[in-house]
Amino acid sequence: MESDLFHEGYRSTLIPELAKIRAIAHQHQAYATYLSGAGSTIMTWLPKEHLAEFKADLKDFSNTHQGEILELKVDTKGARVK
């Protein structure tokens, strides 16, 4: 996931925080940190037991940067028709 060859190399220059956030995420055993979609969002996947510490470290970093930290839940069932 961190080996994107299509857009991340070009767009990461517009989002210099990506490298620092990725480094913080790796300290918390993240599976991956990457630019999502068009690159306006940085996504990190990590084990739930590391989430609180990661968010705390990220908040320390984000005090000097604009942004919002959102915790998303994984939908394990997918689309369903009732």
Side-chain angles (χ1 to χ4, degrees), residues 75-80:
D75 181 351
T76 60
K77 296 180 184 174
R80 298 174 294 287

Side-chain angles (χ1 to χ4, degrees), residues 5-61:
L5 301 175
F6 294 104
H7 72 276
E8 190 171 290
Y10 303 103
R11 295 189 178 128
S12 62
T13 59
L14 302 172
I15 306 174
E17 297 84 4
L18 175 62
K20 179 64 176 172
I21 291 171
R22 184 174 278 156
I24 293 169
H26 284 186
Q27 293 172 357
H28 297 283
Q29 288 72 49
Y31 303 123
T33 296
Y34 58 94
L35 291 179
S36 177
S40 59
T41 300
I42 298 173
M43 299 284 292
T44 296
W45 291 74
L46 71 155
K48 191 171 187 171
E49 60 267 17
H50 298 284
L51 181 60
E53 295 87 6
F54 171 66
K55 285 172 66 174
D57 285 353
L58 204 54
K59 282 184 182 181
D60 289 343
F61 171 73

Side-chain angles (χ1 to χ4, degrees), residues 3 8-9 14-15 24 30 45 51 63 65 68-69 71 73:
S3 299
E8 190 171 290
L14 302 172
I15 306 174
I24 293 169
W45 291 74
L51 181 60
N63 285 336
H65 296 80
E68 186 176 355
I69 300 171
E71 179 183 338
K73 306 272 189 249

